Amino acid sequence: VQPFINFFVNLYKNLPNTVQTVFQRQPHRTAIASDGTQVKVLCKSVESFKVLTECPLIVMLLFQLYPRYVEQNIHHLIPLMMRALNIQPPTNLTQQHSQLYSDFIAAQVKTLSFLTYVLRGFADRMQPHQDNLSKCVIQLLLNCPTSSINSRKELLVATRHILATNFRKGFFNKLNMMLKEDVLIGQGRAHEIVRPLAYSTLADLVHHVRADLSIDQLSKVIYIFSRNIHDPTLPLSIQTASVRLILTLVDHIYRTSDKQDRGRTLLVRILSALVNKFDTLKDYIPKLIDLVNKKKKRVQAKGHAWTLAYTPRSEKEFPEDSVREVKQLMFTMVFGLKTVVWCISNFRSHSQSGTHAAQRRPIVLDEEECRIVARFLQHGLECFKIYTLPGYTRNSRTQQIEKDVLEHFASVF
């Protein structure tokens, strides 16, 4: 075990020189063999980024199998791996070096994944690197090629692991950079594939810093996640998570003092985004009910029992999956809208708390806001068709949930 760990340590010790050496020479070298034929010159294992990419996972497994080797090696591994994350590849690379570049970024991402593994067990050793760790994550997001989809996905997963620990504090002053979607998600083919994971990662970060967000940052967050709510290419689960995140910002926006009352404008934007979602759901739900009924007839024609059991598969073949997710989305929006409408109605009174009671404006919604709430009544009632579907088990818990949704819907008005 220890000889392999020594080899692993030496890879990181020599990495700065390896990067310079590898990127300075031609990637596809050939030589003349003794028989006169031309052969390809292979890279040494100690100079291979692919070898380095595989090693962290192996060492992680060895540490789990042989814990006695952890303490005697981790103290010099951590600074070496942090140094590796800070290494920047040369900027004047040719197209021939593109694969080498991708391999190097993949090795750095694996290094980051290893460090997230040791975060909890050796937090005291990692503490001096807290700010540098977040800086390295941002740099990797910037450096990761658009074609390296798996590397970006693994990078986002590692970032979520960091955000689940106290080391998330290092990201607090990096929020503006994380809010840039071309940085977080990248461009090209990878854009669509990594979006759900990327937005989940961003939501984790925003959730932890929401109490410290400025009005401008709140506006950007609401823009991004309101757009996600209406994006049909995103799963309903991500749309629901976007709704939840926006609703967690409502109380902070209401309490944020701003001379121009921009906070109230943000609340109205949230209200409008959620009501517009009910507008789209009212057209989607009848189609979903039709899919469920068609499947019910197909199943009964084969002599099988019909049920709305939940199994996450395609909507066309298993529309009952989407039924449950739509109900969850409606539940989240209805419960949140009651708070949003109250905050908007009381915002004038809240923002004028320093004025004399007789001089305060009455607590009312303006004409445009009343129109939005009226649309919520109209579209929301049509969405309750989702609860008319027969064929699923209605126990006391589901009946109580349906009752609560209807009561909260009515209490908005």
Side-chain angles (χ1 to χ4, degrees):
V1 174
Q2 189 58 48
F4 183 84
I5 295 176
N6 292 340
F7 170 77
F8 181 61
V9 170
N10 287 330
L11 287 179
Y12 281 103
K13 282 184 178 178
N14 299 326
L15 189 58
N17 293 331
T18 302
V19 170
Q20 293 298 322
T21 302
V22 170
F23 283 111
Q24 282 177 1
R25 66 190 180 203
Q26 290 297 320
H28 305 294
R29 295 178 298 154
T30 58
I32 304 300
S34 57
D35 59 357
T37 59
Q38 192 177 53
V39 294
K40 182 179 179 180
V41 178
L42 297 178
C43 176
K44 295 180 181 179
S45 62
V46 292
E47 296 179 345
S48 171
F49 297 140
K50 288 184 180 294
V51 171
L52 182 60
T53 300
E54 299 301 325
C55 285
L57 184 59
I58 297 173
V59 173
M60 194 183 304
L61 178 61
L62 290 175
F63 281 169
Q64 290 175 343
L65 295 174
Y66 306 98
R68 65 181 182 274
Y69 289 99
V70 177
E71 190 64 37
Q72 66 190 65
N73 290 286
I74 202 70
H75 68 280
H76 52 263
L77 257 179
I78 289 176
L80 285 173
M81 297 181 95
M82 287 304 305
R83 186 183 68 169
L85 291 180
N86 282 285
I87 296 175
Q88 291 297 306
T91 56
N92 56 340
L93 298 178
T94 64
Q95 186 64 30
Q96 293 178 316
H97 291 93
S98 60
Q99 186 58 51
L100 279 173
Y101 180 83
S102 298
D103 292 342
F104 175 66
I105 296 300
Q108 286 188 308
V109 171
K110 288 290 185 182
T111 301
L112 178 67
S113 297
F114 182 92
L115 289 173
T116 61
Y117 163 72
V118 302
L119 275 182
R120 298 182 185 275
F122 299 91
D124 54 334
R125 298 268 177 88
M126 288 294 299
Q127 192 62 43
H129 307 285
Q130 176 177 283
D131 292 333
N132 192 24
L133 189 64
S134 60
K135 177 185 173 183
C136 291
V137 170
I138 297 296
Q139 194 60 54
L140 279 172
L141 287 170
L142 291 168
N143 291 346
C144 190
T146 56
S147 59
S148 300
I149 300 174
N150 289 334
S151 292
R152 186 173 289 272
K153 288 173 68 175
E154 186 170 352
L155 174 57
L156 291 170
V157 170
T159 304
R160 292 195 74 179
H161 285 309
I162 298 172
L163 294 176
T165 69
N166 289 331
F167 286 84
R168 71 177 76 95
K169 296 176 182 177
F171 286 89
F172 289 1
N173 60 355
K174 307 288 193 308
L175 179 63
N176 288 336
M177 186 63 72
M178 295 285 283
L179 287 173
K180 295 180 180 179
E181 293 178 272
D182 57 337
V183 174
L184 182 67
I185 302 173
Q187 299 174 346
R189 189 165 61 96
H191 184 271
E192 294 300 324
I193 298 175
V194 303
R195 285 174 70 228
L197 179 58
Y199 289 129
S200 298
T201 305
L202 180 59
D204 289 345
L205 176 58
V206 172
H207 174 74
H208 290 295
V209 301
R210 65 187 185 277
D212 300 313
L213 295 177
S214 66
I215 286 292
D216 291 333
Q217 289 174 325
L218 287 166
S219 179
K220 180 67 173 177
V221 170
I222 291 171
Y223 167 75
I224 292 174
F225 287 94
S226 294
R227 191 185 58 194
N228 289 351
I229 294 171
H230 299 282
D231 190 339
T233 65
L234 290 173
L236 282 170
S237 57
I238 298 296
Q239 295 180 29
T240 304
S242 298
V243 171
R244 287 197 188 101
L245 177 73
I246 289 176
L247 292 176
T248 62
L249 304 176
V250 170
D251 184 65
H252 174 62
I253 295 172
Y254 176 72
R255 299 179 187 282
T256 300
S257 58
D258 180 66
K259 294 181 180 179
Q260 299 175 345
D261 275 358
R262 287 188 295 170
R264 193 173 189 278
T265 302
L266 295 182
L267 291 174
V268 175
R269 280 173 54 188
I270 294 174
L271 173 66
S272 181
L274 297 182
V275 172
N276 288 337
K277 186 61 182 179
F278 276 103
D279 190 7
T280 58
L281 280 179
K282 76 176 174 59
D283 297 325
Y284 172 69
I285 287 174
K287 298 176 183 177
L288 188 59
I289 292 175
D290 185 53
L291 284 174
V292 172
N293 290 331
K294 285 181 179 178
K295 181 183 177 181
K296 178 182 178 181
K297 291 178 181 178
R298 290 199 308 268
V299 172
Q300 290 177 339
K302 295 178 180 179
H304 299 302
W306 164 249
T307 178
L308 274 173
Y310 182 72
T311 48
R313 301 170 197 171
S314 69
E315 177 179 281
K316 187 175 180 180
E317 293 300 321
F318 294 87
E320 59 270 23
D321 300 0
S322 295
V323 170
R324 174 173 290 200
E325 291 180 341
V326 167
K327 287 182 178 181
Q328 185 61 48
L329 178 59
M330 280 188 58
F331 175 88
T332 305
M333 291 197 298
V334 169
F335 272 68
L337 271 167
K338 179 180 179 182
T339 303
V340 175
V341 172
W342 185 92
C343 288
I344 295 173
S345 301
N346 289 272
F347 199 90
R348 288 193 178 95
S349 173
H350 161 71
S351 61
Q352 299 172 18
S353 57
T355 61
H356 192 272
Q359 298 176 330
R360 295 178 189 171
R361 298 171 64 183
I363 305 174
V364 293
L365 299 174
D366 63 28
E367 185 176 350
E368 180 58 30
E369 293 155 3
C370 287
R371 287 198 188 100
I372 297 175
V373 174
R375 285 173 50 227
F376 171 51
L377 174 62
Q378 176 187 354
H379 302 322
L381 284 174
E382 294 188 55
C383 290
F384 275 91
K385 292 176 183 176
I386 195 72
Y387 293 103
T388 64
L389 267 174
Y392 67 96
T393 304
R394 298 186 70 217
N395 52 39
S396 58
R397 180 176 177 273
T398 57
Q399 289 177 345
Q400 185 60 44
I401 291 175
E402 292 174 10
K403 179 182 176 182
D404 290 344
V405 172
L406 190 58
E407 288 179 350
H408 273 75
F409 178 82
S411 66
V412 172
F413 313 100

